[in-house]
Amino acid sequence: AKQPTAIMIFTNLTPTTSLLLPSTRSFDGNASWSSSFTVDNDDKKLAFEFEEEPTPRRSVRFEEAQNEYFSDNERVAEECAETWYASEDYAEFKADVQSNIQAASSSFSNTVESIYQATTKDGALTAEQESQLMTALSNNMELIGLENYVVRSIAKASRSRREFLQDVVADIIDEADEDDEVAEELRDSCYSISRVACLFSQYMAQAQQQC
């Protein structure tokens, strides 16, 4: 006889720390900074010392009292278990990804990086560049979506862009007088800063569609 099973749905996900942008500026988008200085009475020089404070780990917790339970009378427990990935499956997925990244050819990396640089400089790709990108993706389907891990310059540019965008948003919010002015300037600034990344994503998606 079939045994009824229960499915648990978690609701009311509550972060334990705030994920809002900090109101103060920082040298690192993921770290806070403190500074101190001392005065030497002999030569009147200032010696500055900057210390990076550890960033607290973000975590989430589930409000157990808000959980809801639904019985599945159509399938037995064994059948339900087969539809979920086990921890061993996730470990295998992660190992496969890491293996693919390490095995990435220099040809693929160079092609993707050249496409990104072309997007940064010209904004548009030539027919030859589009063909090169499509060929690179066709021969390395397992690397699609892993460009930031394979090409370090793209990852570095993404981090710099994110930190710069945080600074720009903070400046606009601090200096603007009216809400309408803030919204318009935020929209224009975000579009300008993220334009290269958006174009690169479009070119990658278009090339994948042709594979």
Side-chain angles (χ1 to χ4, degrees), residues 9-16 60-67:
I9 295 181
F10 296 101
T11 60
N12 194 17
L13 181 64
T14 306
T16 58
V60 297
R61 60 183 176 84
F62 296 98
E63 185 59 55
E64 298 293 342
Q66 300 296 325
N67 290 343

Side-chain angles (χ1 to χ4, degrees), residues 3-141:
Q3 298 295 326
T5 58
I7 299 176
M8 181 181 297
I9 295 181
F10 296 101
T11 60
N12 194 17
L13 181 64
T14 306
T16 58
T17 58
S18 174
L19 299 181
L20 298 177
L21 288 175
S23 58
T24 57
R25 202 67 45 80
S26 63
F27 290 89
D28 189 318
N30 296 316
S32 58
W33 291 71
S34 65
S35 62
S36 60
F37 66 91
T38 58
V39 179
D40 189 337
N41 292 327
D42 295 332
D43 54 12
K44 304 299 182 182
K45 292 182 180 180
L46 297 180
F48 291 88
E49 178 184 358
F50 292 92
E51 297 179 355
E52 185 175 0
E53 299 177 353
T55 302
R57 292 175 62 88
R58 292 193 178 104
S59 61
V60 297
R61 60 183 176 84
F62 296 98
E63 185 59 55
E64 298 293 342
Q66 300 296 325
N67 290 343
E68 298 182 25
Y69 298 85
F70 300 87
S71 296
D72 185 351
N73 297 318
E74 300 297 326
R75 297 188 299 174
V76 297
E78 292 76 10
E79 293 175 336
C80 290
E82 292 177 356
T83 63
W84 294 90
Y85 288 120
S87 57
E88 295 79 8
D89 297 321
Y90 288 111
E92 184 177 352
F93 297 155
K94 184 176 181 179
D96 288 342
V97 170
Q98 292 176 339
S99 176
N100 291 334
I101 293 174
Q102 294 174 357
S105 66
S106 59
S107 175
F108 175 83
S109 302
N110 293 337
T111 299
V112 173
E113 185 171 17
S114 66
I115 296 301
Y116 182 81
Q117 295 299 331
T119 304
T120 302
K121 296 178 181 178
D122 304 324
L125 301 182
T126 64
E128 181 180 0
Q129 289 172 327
E130 292 178 353
S131 177
Q132 291 174 349
L133 179 58
M134 185 178 65
T135 300
L137 294 181
S138 298
N139 296 333
N140 299 272
M141 297 291 290

Side-chain angles (χ1 to χ4, degrees), residues 133-202:
L133 179 58
M134 185 178 65
T135 300
L137 294 181
S138 298
N139 296 333
N140 299 272
M141 297 291 290
E142 71 281 358
L143 295 176
I144 292 179
L146 301 176
E147 297 82 15
N148 279 20
Y149 297 95
V150 176
V151 185
R152 294 185 179 276
S153 61
I154 297 179
K156 182 178 179 180
S158 297
R159 289 193 298 270
S160 299
R161 187 184 303 110
R162 181 169 58 252
E163 294 171 1
F164 178 57
L165 183 58
Q166 291 175 348
D167 287 344
V168 170
V169 169
D171 286 339
I172 293 175
I173 294 177
D174 290 342
E175 298 174 2
D177 298 326
E178 299 180 3
D179 292 341
D180 292 341
E181 180 181 343
V182 171
E184 182 177 358
E185 192 167 358
L186 283 174
R187 181 176 60 251
D188 293 342
S189 298
C190 290
Y191 171 79
S192 177
I193 296 172
S194 62
R195 180 175 177 273
V196 170
C198 291
L199 283 176
F200 178 71
S201 298
Q202 291 177 12

